[in-house]
mmCIF file of all heavy atoms in Angstrom:
data_model
loop_
_atom_site.group_PDB
_atom_site.id
_atom_site.type_symbol
_atom_site.label_atom_id
_atom_site.label_comp_id
_atom_site.label_asym_id
_atom_site.label_seq_id
_atom_site.Cartn_x
_atom_site.Cartn_y
_atom_site.Cartn_z
ATOM 1 N N TYR A 17 0.901 -1.171 0.016
ATOM 2 C CA TYR A 17 0.006 -0.010 0.010
ATOM 3 C C TYR A 17 0.904 1.205 -0.013
ATOM 4 O O TYR A 17 1.946 1.227 0.610
ATOM 5 C CB TYR A 17 -0.889 0.052 1.234
ATOM 6 C CG TYR A 17 -1.906 -1.135 1.295
ATOM 7 C CD1 TYR A 17 -1.540 -2.329 1.706
ATOM 8 C CD2 TYR A 17 -3.235 -0.821 0.868
ATOM 9 C CE1 TYR A 17 -2.418 -3.359 1.836
ATOM 10 C CE2 TYR A 17 -4.110 -1.823 0.981
ATOM 11 C CZ TYR A 17 -3.811 -3.100 1.420
ATOM 12 O OH TYR A 17 -4.707 -4.160 1.503
ATOM 13 N N GLY A 18 0.406 2.332 -0.604
ATOM 14 C CA GLY A 18 1.157 3.582 -0.591
ATOM 15 C C GLY A 18 2.577 3.354 -1.091
ATOM 16 O O GLY A 18 2.765 2.772 -2.135
ATOM 17 N N ASP A 19 3.476 3.786 -0.339
ATOM 18 C CA ASP A 19 4.959 3.654 -0.740
ATOM 19 C C ASP A 19 5.672 2.486 -0.206
ATOM 20 O O ASP A 19 6.839 2.363 -0.391
ATOM 21 C CB ASP A 19 5.695 5.004 -0.314
ATOM 22 C CG ASP A 19 5.249 6.255 -1.111
ATOM 23 O OD1 ASP A 19 4.785 6.045 -2.247
ATOM 24 O OD2 ASP A 19 5.258 7.334 -0.517
ATOM 25 N N SER A 20 4.989 1.662 0.576
ATOM 26 C CA SER A 20 5.604 0.396 1.039
ATOM 27 C C SER A 20 5.440 -0.699 0.079
ATOM 28 O O SER A 20 4.331 -0.879 -0.501
ATOM 29 C CB SER A 20 4.929 -0.026 2.417
ATOM 30 O OG SER A 20 5.240 1.019 3.463
ATOM 31 N N ALA A 21 6.487 -1.486 -0.129
ATOM 32 C CA ALA A 21 6.397 -2.581 -1.161
ATOM 33 C C ALA A 21 7.459 -3.595 -0.890
ATOM 34 O O ALA A 21 8.456 -3.370 -0.131
ATOM 35 C CB ALA A 21 6.565 -1.996 -2.575
ATOM 36 N N LEU A 22 7.292 -4.761 -1.554
ATOM 37 C CA LEU A 22 8.294 -5.741 -1.659
ATOM 38 C C LEU A 22 9.483 -5.161 -2.274
ATOM 39 O O LEU A 22 9.398 -4.312 -3.198
ATOM 40 C CB LEU A 22 7.854 -7.010 -2.368
ATOM 41 C CG LEU A 22 6.809 -7.900 -1.685
ATOM 42 C CD1 LEU A 22 6.424 -9.006 -2.686
ATOM 43 C CD2 LEU A 22 7.430 -8.431 -0.397
ATOM 44 N N LYS A 23 10.699 -5.584 -1.885
ATOM 45 C CA LYS A 23 11.892 -5.162 -2.624
ATOM 46 C C LYS A 23 11.922 -5.711 -4.024
ATOM 47 O O LYS A 23 11.340 -6.776 -4.237
ATOM 48 C CB LYS A 23 13.181 -5.634 -1.800
ATOM 49 C CG LYS A 23 13.367 -4.913 -0.531
ATOM 50 C CD LYS A 23 14.580 -5.424 0.195
ATOM 51 C CE LYS A 23 14.781 -4.649 1.480
ATOM 52 N NZ LYS A 23 15.887 -5.102 2.254
ATOM 53 N N PRO A 24 12.452 -4.977 -4.990
ATOM 54 C CA PRO A 24 12.469 -5.442 -6.415
ATOM 55 C C PRO A 24 13.006 -6.781 -6.640
ATOM 56 O O PRO A 24 12.572 -7.536 -7.473
ATOM 57 C CB PRO A 24 13.263 -4.362 -7.096
ATOM 58 C CG PRO A 24 13.154 -3.135 -6.207
ATOM 59 C CD PRO A 24 13.050 -3.715 -4.813
ATOM 60 N N ASP A 25 14.009 -7.217 -5.817
ATOM 61 C CA ASP A 25 14.644 -8.527 -6.020
ATOM 62 C C ASP A 25 13.964 -9.677 -5.310
ATOM 63 O O ASP A 25 14.477 -10.788 -5.287
ATOM 64 C CB ASP A 25 16.122 -8.444 -5.609
ATOM 65 C CG ASP A 25 16.324 -8.059 -4.171
ATOM 66 O OD1 ASP A 25 15.407 -7.623 -3.488
ATOM 67 O OD2 ASP A 25 17.484 -8.277 -3.655
ATOM 68 N N VAL A 26 12.830 -9.403 -4.652
ATOM 69 C CA VAL A 26 12.130 -10.476 -3.968
ATOM 70 C C VAL A 26 11.038 -10.946 -4.831
ATOM 71 O O VAL A 26 10.104 -10.306 -5.267
ATOM 72 C CB VAL A 26 11.489 -9.958 -2.656
ATOM 73 C CG1 VAL A 26 10.685 -10.991 -1.936
ATOM 74 C CG2 VAL A 26 12.559 -9.417 -1.735
ATOM 75 N N ALA A 27 11.068 -12.296 -5.146
ATOM 76 C CA ALA A 27 10.025 -12.914 -5.975
ATOM 77 C C ALA A 27 8.824 -13.259 -5.140
ATOM 78 O O ALA A 27 8.981 -13.819 -4.063
ATOM 79 C CB ALA A 27 10.577 -14.221 -6.655
ATOM 80 N N GLU A 28 7.686 -13.047 -5.704
ATOM 81 C CA GLU A 28 6.482 -13.444 -4.967
ATOM 82 C C GLU A 28 6.412 -14.888 -4.875
ATOM 83 O O GLU A 28 6.746 -15.622 -5.778
ATOM 84 C CB GLU A 28 5.255 -12.878 -5.694
ATOM 85 C CG GLU A 28 3.878 -13.180 -5.087
ATOM 86 C CD GLU A 28 3.778 -12.576 -3.569
ATOM 87 O OE1 GLU A 28 3.574 -11.352 -3.535
ATOM 88 O OE2 GLU A 28 3.897 -13.358 -2.619
ATOM 89 N N LEU A 29 5.905 -15.442 -3.761
ATOM 90 C CA LEU A 29 5.772 -16.864 -3.613
ATOM 91 C C LEU A 29 4.461 -17.374 -4.091
ATOM 92 O O LEU A 29 3.413 -16.614 -4.089
ATOM 93 C CB LEU A 29 5.915 -17.215 -2.117
ATOM 94 C CG LEU A 29 7.254 -16.830 -1.441
ATOM 95 C CD1 LEU A 29 7.215 -17.138 0.030
ATOM 96 C CD2 LEU A 29 8.377 -17.596 -2.167
ATOM 97 N N PRO A 30 4.317 -18.620 -4.505
ATOM 98 C CA PRO A 30 3.020 -19.091 -5.098
ATOM 99 C C PRO A 30 1.883 -19.056 -4.109
ATOM 100 O O PRO A 30 0.740 -18.810 -4.515
ATOM 101 C CB PRO A 30 3.311 -20.592 -5.381
ATOM 102 C CG PRO A 30 4.838 -20.648 -5.454
ATOM 103 C CD PRO A 30 5.367 -19.526 -4.573
ATOM 104 N N ASP A 31 2.169 -19.077 -2.850
ATOM 105 C CA ASP A 31 1.029 -18.963 -1.846
ATOM 106 C C ASP A 31 0.781 -17.570 -1.369
ATOM 107 O O ASP A 31 -0.092 -17.383 -0.587
ATOM 108 C CB ASP A 31 1.343 -19.838 -0.628
ATOM 109 C CG ASP A 31 2.531 -19.334 0.162
ATOM 110 O OD1 ASP A 31 3.221 -18.334 -0.170
ATOM 111 O OD2 ASP A 31 2.852 -19.996 1.258
ATOM 112 N N HIS A 32 1.442 -16.548 -2.031
ATOM 113 C CA HIS A 32 1.303 -15.101 -1.674
ATOM 114 C C HIS A 32 1.526 -14.847 -0.207
ATOM 115 O O HIS A 32 1.047 -13.781 0.300
ATOM 116 C CB HIS A 32 -0.132 -14.665 -2.060
ATOM 117 C CG HIS A 32 -0.482 -14.891 -3.551
ATOM 118 N ND1 HIS A 32 0.089 -14.229 -4.565
ATOM 119 C CD2 HIS A 32 -1.229 -15.805 -4.074
ATOM 120 C CE1 HIS A 32 -0.298 -14.679 -5.670
ATOM 121 N NE2 HIS A 32 -1.160 -15.691 -5.441
ATOM 122 N N SER A 33 2.287 -15.571 0.420
ATOM 123 C CA SER A 33 2.560 -15.415 1.847
ATOM 124 C C SER A 33 3.321 -14.123 2.158
ATOM 125 O O SER A 33 3.289 -13.617 3.304
ATOM 126 C CB SER A 33 3.322 -16.638 2.529
ATOM 127 O OG SER A 33 4.544 -16.780 1.864
ATOM 128 N N LEU A 34 4.008 -13.609 1.177
ATOM 129 C CA LEU A 34 4.753 -12.366 1.420
ATOM 130 C C LEU A 34 3.779 -11.158 1.620
ATOM 131 O O LEU A 34 4.225 -10.003 1.986
ATOM 132 C CB LEU A 34 5.742 -12.102 0.250
ATOM 133 C CG LEU A 34 6.938 -13.036 0.202
ATOM 134 C CD1 LEU A 34 7.804 -12.817 -0.977
ATOM 135 C CD2 LEU A 34 7.694 -12.939 1.445
ATOM 136 N N HIS A 35 2.504 -11.388 1.184
ATOM 137 C CA HIS A 35 1.521 -10.315 1.422
ATOM 138 C C HIS A 35 0.472 -10.756 2.530
ATOM 139 O O HIS A 35 -0.577 -10.195 2.613
ATOM 140 C CB HIS A 35 0.770 -10.013 0.123
ATOM 141 C CG HIS A 35 1.562 -9.103 -0.721
ATOM 142 N ND1 HIS A 35 2.472 -9.553 -1.721
ATOM 143 C CD2 HIS A 35 1.779 -7.665 -0.716
ATOM 144 C CE1 HIS A 35 3.054 -8.582 -2.284
ATOM 145 N NE2 HIS A 35 2.688 -7.413 -1.688
ATOM 146 N N SER A 36 0.814 -11.674 3.331
ATOM 147 C CA SER A 36 -0.037 -12.188 4.371
ATOM 148 C C SER A 36 -0.119 -11.129 5.533
ATOM 149 O O SER A 36 0.791 -10.340 5.625
ATOM 150 C CB SER A 36 0.428 -13.517 4.911
ATOM 151 O OG SER A 36 1.612 -13.401 5.661
ATOM 152 N N LYS A 37 -1.131 -11.338 6.360
ATOM 153 C CA LYS A 37 -1.185 -10.425 7.514
ATOM 154 C C LYS A 37 -0.018 -10.694 8.477
ATOM 155 O O LYS A 37 0.436 -9.787 9.205
ATOM 156 C CB LYS A 37 -2.582 -10.511 8.152
ATOM 157 C CG LYS A 37 -3.647 -9.958 7.243
ATOM 158 C CD LYS A 37 -5.050 -10.373 7.724
ATOM 159 C CE LYS A 37 -6.027 -9.947 6.672
ATOM 160 N NZ LYS A 37 -6.017 -10.669 5.432
ATOM 161 N N ARG A 38 0.430 -11.948 8.512
ATOM 162 C CA ARG A 38 1.519 -12.303 9.351
ATOM 163 C C ARG A 38 2.811 -11.522 8.842
ATOM 164 O O ARG A 38 3.487 -10.971 9.735
ATOM 165 C CB ARG A 38 1.786 -13.830 9.277
ATOM 166 C CG ARG A 38 2.895 -14.283 10.124
ATOM 167 C CD ARG A 38 3.147 -15.767 9.985
ATOM 168 N NE ARG A 38 1.918 -16.556 10.186
ATOM 169 C CZ ARG A 38 1.530 -17.135 11.320
ATOM 170 N NH1 ARG A 38 2.290 -17.001 12.383
ATOM 171 N NH2 ARG A 38 0.432 -17.811 11.335
ATOM 172 N N ALA A 39 3.020 -11.479 7.543
ATOM 173 C CA ALA A 39 4.084 -10.762 7.035
ATOM 174 C C ALA A 39 4.102 -9.280 7.288
ATOM 175 O O ALA A 39 5.002 -8.552 7.631
ATOM 176 C CB ALA A 39 4.270 -11.006 5.519
ATOM 177 N N MET A 40 2.839 -8.782 7.118
ATOM 178 C CA MET A 40 2.623 -7.293 7.394
ATOM 179 C C MET A 40 2.776 -6.989 8.842
ATOM 180 O O MET A 40 3.352 -5.945 9.179
ATOM 181 C CB MET A 40 1.239 -6.879 6.964
ATOM 182 C CG MET A 40 0.974 -6.932 5.459
ATOM 183 S SD MET A 40 -0.660 -6.450 5.092
ATOM 184 C CE MET A 40 -0.728 -6.690 3.321
ATOM 185 N N ALA A 41 2.383 -7.864 9.791
ATOM 186 C CA ALA A 41 2.623 -7.707 11.175
ATOM 187 C C ALA A 41 4.093 -7.652 11.540
ATOM 188 O O ALA A 41 4.566 -6.829 12.318
ATOM 189 C CB ALA A 41 1.885 -8.812 11.946
ATOM 190 N N LYS A 42 4.838 -8.524 10.867
ATOM 191 C CA LYS A 42 6.277 -8.529 11.130
ATOM 192 C C LYS A 42 6.876 -7.221 10.569
ATOM 193 O O LYS A 42 7.810 -6.678 11.221
ATOM 194 C CB LYS A 42 6.915 -9.782 10.361
ATOM 195 C CG LYS A 42 8.458 -9.833 10.422
ATOM 196 C CD LYS A 42 8.913 -10.197 11.860
ATOM 197 C CE LYS A 42 10.363 -10.584 11.904
ATOM 198 N NZ LYS A 42 11.238 -9.442 12.123
ATOM 199 N N ASP A 43 6.406 -6.737 9.541
ATOM 200 C CA ASP A 43 6.941 -5.399 8.983
ATOM 201 C C ASP A 43 6.650 -4.279 10.064
ATOM 202 O O ASP A 43 7.577 -3.523 10.313
ATOM 203 C CB ASP A 43 6.168 -5.022 7.703
ATOM 204 C CG ASP A 43 6.571 -5.838 6.540
ATOM 205 O OD1 ASP A 43 7.552 -6.633 6.574
ATOM 206 O OD2 ASP A 43 5.837 -5.682 5.539
ATOM 207 N N VAL A 44 5.454 -4.290 10.621
ATOM 208 C CA VAL A 44 5.196 -3.245 11.647
ATOM 209 C C VAL A 44 6.080 -3.431 12.853
ATOM 210 O O VAL A 44 6.612 -2.427 13.288
ATOM 211 C CB VAL A 44 3.744 -3.387 12.068
ATOM 212 C CG1 VAL A 44 3.409 -2.389 13.253
ATOM 213 C CG2 VAL A 44 2.789 -3.048 10.920
ATOM 214 N N LEU A 45 6.306 -4.600 13.281
ATOM 215 C CA LEU A 45 7.223 -4.852 14.382
ATOM 216 C C LEU A 45 8.632 -4.401 14.069
ATOM 217 O O LEU A 45 9.327 -3.760 14.863
ATOM 218 C CB LEU A 45 7.205 -6.370 14.790
ATOM 219 C CG LEU A 45 7.890 -6.722 16.115
ATOM 220 C CD1 LEU A 45 7.358 -5.927 17.253
ATOM 221 C CD2 LEU A 45 7.778 -8.244 16.325
ATOM 222 N N ASP A 46 9.104 -4.678 12.842
ATOM 223 C CA ASP A 46 10.427 -4.242 12.423
ATOM 224 C C ASP A 46 10.509 -2.745 12.406
ATOM 225 O O ASP A 46 11.552 -2.148 12.715
ATOM 226 C CB ASP A 46 10.839 -4.840 10.992
ATOM 227 C CG ASP A 46 11.068 -6.330 11.020
ATOM 228 O OD1 ASP A 46 11.258 -6.856 12.139
ATOM 229 O OD2 ASP A 46 10.987 -6.895 9.988
ATOM 230 N N VAL A 47 9.501 -2.098 11.893
ATOM 231 C CA VAL A 47 9.471 -0.559 11.839
ATOM 232 C C VAL A 47 9.615 0.005 13.284
ATOM 233 O O VAL A 47 10.381 0.800 13.537
ATOM 234 C CB VAL A 47 8.175 -0.016 11.200
ATOM 235 C CG1 VAL A 47 8.048 1.398 11.410
ATOM 236 C CG2 VAL A 47 8.260 -0.334 9.695
ATOM 237 N N VAL A 48 8.758 -0.440 14.214
ATOM 238 C CA VAL A 48 8.841 0.136 15.597
ATOM 239 C C VAL A 48 10.140 -0.330 16.230
ATOM 240 O O VAL A 48 10.678 0.548 17.002
ATOM 241 C CB VAL A 48 7.587 -0.288 16.452
ATOM 242 C CG1 VAL A 48 6.297 0.288 15.901
ATOM 243 C CG2 VAL A 48 7.485 -1.777 16.681
#
C-alpha cells in the first residue's frame, strides 16, 4: 500500500505469503 512494497529483487511466492497479515505484522514490528 502507498509507498511500502516488496523489494524489487524479492520474488512473490506461489502462496502469496509475502502479502499475508503475518508478514505485514512482522513489518510493523520491524518498523517500531
Side-chain angles (χ1 to χ4, degrees):
Y17 295 81
D19 292 330
S20 293
L22 287 176
K23 291 182 178 176
D25 62 341
V26 175
E28 183 60 77
L29 299 175
D31 65 357
H32 305 288
S33 61
L34 292 176
H35 282 92
S36 68
K37 291 168 188 74
R38 183 182 309 266
M40 291 181 188
K42 177 71 168 88
D43 290 348
V44 174
L45 190 57
D46 288 345
V47 166
V48 296

